[in-house]
Amino acid sequence: KIAIAAKHAPYDHAIKTYALAEAYSLTNISEVEVKMNECVKFMLSKQQKNGSYDYSYSTKNEKHDLSLSGWNFQAMKAAYAASCEVEGLQEAIFKSIKWLRNMAASKKSFIYMSKQNNLPVGERRLSSMRAVGVLCLQMFDEGKCTEIKDEIRTIATQDIKDLDWNKKQDFAIYKWYYATQAMFQHGGRYWKTWNKKFQSLLIRNQNKDGSWNYPNINGGVAAHLKGSNGEKIYATTLCSLMLTVYYRYLPSSKSSHGFAAKVSKKANEIEDEEEEILSLFE
C-alpha cells in the first residue's frame, strides 16, 4: 500500500496545487497564496527537461506519462491565471507546450506513455489521452495549433459515441471530464452537440442524493475503488466539474493567439500599470 501511495503521489500533489490555485484566484487569501506557491515551486522542480512528468516525480527523463502530466499542466494553467509569481512558471509552460505539440505531431496522436521518446510495444492511443492532450494545449492558449485540429474533430465525431452509461469502457468519466472541457473550449457546433448529449447523460444517471456512481467499472483507477465510498466521491467530483464547465474558464476560442502572445500582453499590462502609478507621484 505504501508503494502504491508513493507511485500515485504526484497525482495528489498536482490536483492539490490545482485546487489551491483556483482557491487563491477566487479568494486572494494570503495563506492560500503561500501554500500555492510552495506547491508550484515543488512541481516545477520535478518537471522533466523535455516538459513532461513521470510517476514518483522522477526527473530521469526516461519515461513520460501524459495522464500525470495533464494534471500538472492544469495546475500550471490555474497558477498562471491566479498571477502566481513563482520563478520559472512561464518557462515550464513553454516546455509543456513544446512537448505536447511534439507528441501530437510525431505520434500522430496523443499516447499514454512513452519511454525515451519511443512508443512502448503494445502501447495504445487511447481516446482519453486524446482529450487530455487537446485540453491542455487549449488551456495554454494553443487551441488553434495545427497539431490538434484532427484530434478535435475525432472527439466531436467519434469519441462522442462513448457518452454511454451502459457501455463497458475503461476510464469512462475520466475521459468525459477532459473531452467535455475540450469541446467547450473549442465551442461552435461541436460543443453544442456534445453539450446536449453529455448533460442529458449525467442528469439521467445522477442519484437522488446528488451523487454519481462510476458507470460499468471495467478498468482504470475507478476499478481500484469499486464498492468503496471513494468510487462515488471520484465519480461525483468529475461529474460536478463537467457540469460547471460553463463557469470555470472562458472558451479558448475567445483568446487563441498562443501563450507567447498572452505573456506579452500580460507584460504590457503590468508596464502600463506601473507607469500609471508613477505618474501619480509626478
Side-chain angles (χ1 to χ4, degrees):
K1 289 184 179 179
I2 294 175
I4 292 174
K7 184 178 181 182
H8 289 86
Y11 277 98
D12 301 345
H13 184 81
I15 294 171
K16 176 177 67 177
T17 306
Y18 192 1
L20 285 169
E22 290 206 336
Y24 175 66
S25 181
L26 291 170
T27 65
N28 284 320
I29 297 174
S30 58
E31 291 87 350
V32 177
E33 181 185 22
V34 171
K35 293 301 180 183
M36 173 191 71
N37 288 342
E38 289 178 2
C39 289
V40 169
K41 186 176 181 180
F42 178 80
M43 182 179 67
L44 298 186
S45 73
K46 297 301 180 180
Q47 186 179 33
Q48 296 182 343
K49 291 181 180 179
N50 68 350
S52 67
Y53 283 89
D54 186 18
Y55 272 30
S56 303
Y57 271 145
S58 170
T59 56
K60 293 180 180 179
N61 210 42
E62 294 177 349
K63 185 166 75 69
H64 323 299
D65 188 294
L66 176 56
S67 177
L68 174 60
S69 295
W71 287 106
N72 284 276
F73 296 161
Q74 289 177 85
M76 285 184 196
K77 159 66 179 184
Y80 188 81
S83 299
C84 175
E85 296 181 353
V86 171
E87 185 177 355
L89 178 57
Q90 287 185 8
E91 291 76 8
I93 291 176
F94 278 119
K95 287 199 297 183
S96 304
I97 292 170
K98 183 178 180 180
W99 179 69
L100 285 166
R101 295 185 67 168
N102 285 343
M103 177 188 283
S106 63
K107 308 300 181 186
K108 308 301 181 185
S109 183
F110 291 100
I111 61 174
Y112 166 56
M113 181 182 69
S114 60
K115 293 180 179 179
Q116 295 180 335
N117 291 320
N118 293 317
L119 186 67
V121 176
E123 179 62 75
R124 293 176 296 160
R125 291 171 171 82
L126 304 171
S127 56
S128 56
M129 293 301 101
R130 172 169 36 252
V132 172
V134 168
L135 177 65
C136 289
L137 281 170
Q138 289 171 325
M139 293 179 80
F140 288 146
D141 288 271
E142 300 289 337
K144 297 295 184 182
C145 68
T146 57
E147 292 88 345
I148 62 173
K149 284 185 178 180
D150 290 342
E151 301 290 68
I152 290 172
R153 186 182 305 110
T154 299
I155 293 172
T157 60
Q158 299 300 317
D159 297 344
I160 193 172
K161 298 174 185 177
D162 290 334
L163 282 172
D164 185 341
W165 208 264
N166 298 313
K167 181 179 179 180
K168 277 195 173 294
Q169 51 189 316
D170 293 346
F171 315 109
I173 294 180
Y174 173 91
K175 66 182 176 182
W176 299 345
Y177 162 82
Y178 278 104
T180 295
Q181 292 182 85
M183 290 295 93
F184 172 74
Q185 293 294 335
H186 183 72
R189 60 186 177 88
Y190 285 169
W191 165 239
K192 289 181 180 179
T193 302
W194 184 280
N195 184 36
K196 183 177 180 180
K197 188 170 183 178
F198 107 86
Q199 262 200 29
S200 176
L201 176 71
L202 265 58
I203 291 171
R204 289 197 316 270
N205 290 283
Q206 187 176 26
N207 297 322
K208 290 183 179 180
D209 65 358
S211 66
W212 280 269
N213 295 99
Y214 209 96
N216 278 318
I217 293 177
N218 191 43
V221 174
H224 301 294
L225 303 173
K226 189 173 183 179
S228 71
N229 194 45
E231 172 204 335
K232 184 174 288 188
I233 293 172
Y234 179 57
T236 302
T237 299
L238 293 186
C239 287
S240 298
L241 288 171
M242 279 187 270
L243 288 173
T244 57
V245 67
Y246 318 92
Y247 318 110
R248 297 177 67 218
Y249 292 114
L250 290 172
S252 62
S253 55
K254 302 295 183 182
S255 57
S256 56
H257 300 295
F259 184 67
K262 187 169 188 175
V263 170
S264 177
K265 180 181 178 182
K266 186 174 182 178
N268 290 335
E269 290 174 349
I270 292 174
E271 185 177 343
D272 290 343
E273 289 177 2
E274 290 176 345
E275 289 180 357
E276 184 177 347
I277 292 172
L278 288 173
S279 67
L280 297 176
F281 297 92
E282 292 179 353

